[in-house]
Amino acid sequence: NAGVTQTPKFRVLKTGQSMTLLCAQDMNHEYMYWYRQDPGMGLRLIHYSVGEGTTAKGEVPDGYNVSRLKKQNFLLGLESAAPSQTSVYFCASSPRQGGNQPQHFGDGTRLSIL
Amino acid sequence: GQNIDQPTEMTATEGAIVQINCTYQTSGFNGLFWYQQHAGEAPTFLSYNVLDGLEEKGRFSSFLSRSKGYSYLLLKELQMKDSASYLCAPGSYSGGYNKLIFGAGTRLAVHP
């Protein structure tokens, strides 16, 4: 019963490097989300997807790209990492129907940019 | 705009009751969620309110007043394991999709 799985769990990058964070869910959920969480701030939505092949910008999309080629996977890319992107990144998923469906979160990826 | 306000920190004693308040201003309000997040872990769903009133679920209850833009989470018979952050998250429906707006969270410390 995996739920939402994020890889990697930890990563240290140098400024300017690129990387991709992977999120996989096995609950057949339509919606998937990427958030970042910084000290003293709430979870902020980076990008989201309402179905396979679709993506949309959230609150803080600059510097990130996403892809949803398969329903179960949602990838978050950093093309040229910056120290301001040091954060904990959470992926979440939820079913399509109804506003009362909670989002299910992965365990997070802790990313440091030096 | 969208704004969520909840206390930054609270402390309470094991076995006691604590109430965590949340006030919010969101457009397209579509219900309010409470999540629990232990340090270094993922947020986990606690409760959902869409109608005014109290929803009870074991030791945890959540209240909503839509007209006042106000919610609270009530934790009874506190246990040490309840030490965590509690996130208030109103839903905002726009463009055909329901998104959550998260508050910064209230860090609750339960002591013996």
Side-chain angles (χ1 to χ4, degrees):
Chain A
N1 191 8
V4 179
T5 303
Q6 292 183 232
T7 52
K9 296 191 185 309
F10 304 94
R11 186 73 183 268
V12 178
L13 291 177
K14 295 180 179 179
T15 297
Q17 286 185 317
S18 63
M19 80 161 295
T20 300
L21 281 65
L22 173 63
C23 177
Q25 53 96 3
D26 62 2
M27 297 173 283
N28 200 36
H29 285 171
E30 291 290 337
Y31 289 14
M32 296 187 75
Y33 314 82
W34 275 108
Y35 294 90
R36 60 178 289 173
Q37 188 174 40
D38 301 293
M41 304 183 75
L43 288 155
R44 291 183 291 168
L45 184 64
I46 304 171
H47 287 280
Y48 65 99
S49 168
V50 299
E52 181 179 321
T54 72
T55 63
K57 293 180 179 180
E59 181 187 359
V60 289
D62 294 343
Y64 306 95
N65 56 75
V66 288
S67 64
R68 182 104 180 264
L69 298 180
K70 294 183 178 180
K71 184 177 182 178
Q72 63 268 33
N73 295 338
F74 196 28
L75 279 63
L76 178 71
L78 286 74
E79 290 188 348
S80 179
S84 61
Q85 295 176 305
T86 293
S87 188
V88 181
Y89 291 86
F90 285 99
C91 176
S93 70
S94 66
R96 172 197 294 232
Q97 65 276 20
N100 63 340
Q101 299 296 321
Q103 295 182 16
H104 300 261
F105 286 82
D107 288 336
T109 295
R110 284 147 187 81
L111 185 61
S112 293
I113 316 295
L114 304 178
Chain B
Q2 321 223 53
N3 187 50
I4 301 157
D5 191 29
Q6 52 180 129
T8 303
E9 293 185 350
M10 298 182 71
T11 60
T13 305
E14 196 174 14
I17 300 172
V18 70
Q19 178 174 312
I20 302 174
N21 296 322
C22 172
T23 58
Y24 63 89
Q25 288 179 309
T26 59
S27 57
F29 178 76
N30 193 27
L32 187 142
F33 291 84
W34 282 95
Y35 281 81
Q36 180 190 59
Q37 185 178 24
H38 286 100
E41 297 183 10
T44 55
F45 168 71
L46 283 179
S47 68
Y48 172 77
N49 296 68
V50 65
L51 301 176
D52 285 358
L54 189 68
E55 293 280 344
E56 297 188 76
K57 190 186 292 185
R59 292 189 301 114
F60 292 3
S61 302
S62 55
F63 172 84
L64 177 67
S65 169
R66 296 176 67 124
S67 62
K68 295 182 179 179
Y70 168 69
S71 175
Y72 68 73
L73 181 69
L74 192 71
L75 291 75
K76 304 174 187 176
E77 302 170 13
L78 281 171
Q79 302 175 7
M80 298 297 289
K81 67 178 182 179
D82 297 329
S83 293
S85 288
Y86 292 87
L87 313 180
C88 172
S92 176
Y93 189 83
S94 64
Y97 312 121
N98 194 56
K99 296 189 288 287
L100 294 185
I101 312 299
F102 284 88
T106 298
R107 191 162 56 249
L108 173 67
V110 179
H111 54 83

